[in-house]
Amino acid sequence: MLKAIMALVMVLVVSGCSTQYPNQALLGKQFPTVTGESLEQQSFTIPEDFNNPNTLLLIGYKQDSQFDIDRWLIGLDMSAVNVTAYELPTIQGMVPRMFSTLIDSGMRKGIPKELWGGVITIYKDGDKVQAFTGNENPNNSRVILLDESGKIIYFYDRGFSVSALNNLKAVIEKQ
């Protein structure tokens, strides 16, 4: 089993961002319609299935972007930011899709069960999301705040920083 997981990790490292897209400026744009499945195995159509005034998406393209996402989550918690947040591991390519069950199973082992509903993996539309946001510096998460219509009202893709967190918090407080 360990050998299978290591082989899978290598596949993800090699193919996680196989097509390069330049980073984009997304403020004011509509988030594209994509589908994914939570670790609880619930299907989602994003952004249509989000019924919140604001929804925060923490998008990761590589396993290493989890470090950045974790810093964002800790910062949000420590500064008591009131927003519904979802982690979106977003993987492009046919090979990862073929191993999606194994990948999701591995994520479930590393994430407490009570958090599974907030992790929505995007395989089929992974290329679409990466083309939309850009995937330069793929270790950095893409931090996207959507309004109730799915329009992007905050975007950041340069890694966690306290000033970026404070800017996000200010946008949320204005809503």
Side-chain angles (χ1 to χ4, degrees):
M1 182 66 169
L2 183 58
K3 286 183 182 182
I5 291 173
M6 292 303 291
L8 178 61
V9 169
M10 288 305 296
V11 167
L12 289 175
V13 168
V14 171
S15 65
C17 288
S18 55
T19 303
Q20 293 294 309
Y21 299 105
N23 287 353
Q24 302 294 316
L26 301 180
L27 204 57
K29 294 186 179 180
Q30 182 70 29
F31 194 82
T33 299
V34 298
T35 59
E37 185 176 277
S38 74
L39 293 182
E40 291 179 332
Q41 299 181 317
Q42 178 184 354
S43 295
F44 281 87
T45 300
I46 301 165
E48 286 79 14
D49 287 344
F50 299 144
N51 299 316
N52 306 302
N54 293 307
T55 302
L56 185 65
L57 308 178
L58 300 169
I59 302 172
Y61 296 139
K62 292 177 65 178
Q63 184 176 7
D64 289 343
S65 55
Q66 186 63 50
F67 177 73
D68 194 38
I69 290 171
D70 289 344
R71 291 188 300 168
W72 277 98
L73 290 170
I74 291 167
L76 290 164
D77 184 56
M78 296 299 291
S79 57
V81 175
N82 186 18
V83 68
T84 301
Y86 292 91
E87 291 184 56
L88 302 181
T90 303
I91 306 164
Q92 65 171 301
M94 181 60 74
V95 174
R97 282 176 40 197
M98 291 180 351
F99 292 99
S100 63
T101 302
L102 185 60
I103 295 168
D104 289 345
S105 177
M107 282 192 281
R108 282 185 198 97
K109 289 178 182 175
I111 298 172
K113 190 171 187 172
E114 62 270 15
L115 300 179
W116 289 1
V119 179
I120 303 169
T121 308
I122 299 173
Y123 291 103
K124 180 182 164 218
D125 294 323
D127 192 62
K128 184 178 184 179
V129 174
Q130 290 191 31
F132 179 72
T133 67
N135 59 11
E136 295 173 337
N137 303 315
N139 290 341
N140 295 349
S141 62
R142 276 43 182 177
V143 180
I144 296 176
L145 182 66
L146 302 176
D147 69 9
E148 65 280 348
S149 69
K151 185 175 90 174
I152 298 169
I153 57 175
Y154 179 86
F155 176 70
Y156 193 78
D157 65 354
R158 294 180 283 154
F160 176 79
S161 77
V162 172
S163 64
L165 174 63
N166 289 334
N167 290 338
L168 171 62
K169 187 175 180 179
V171 170
I172 291 169
E173 290 172 352
K174 282 185 184 178
Q175 299 297 311

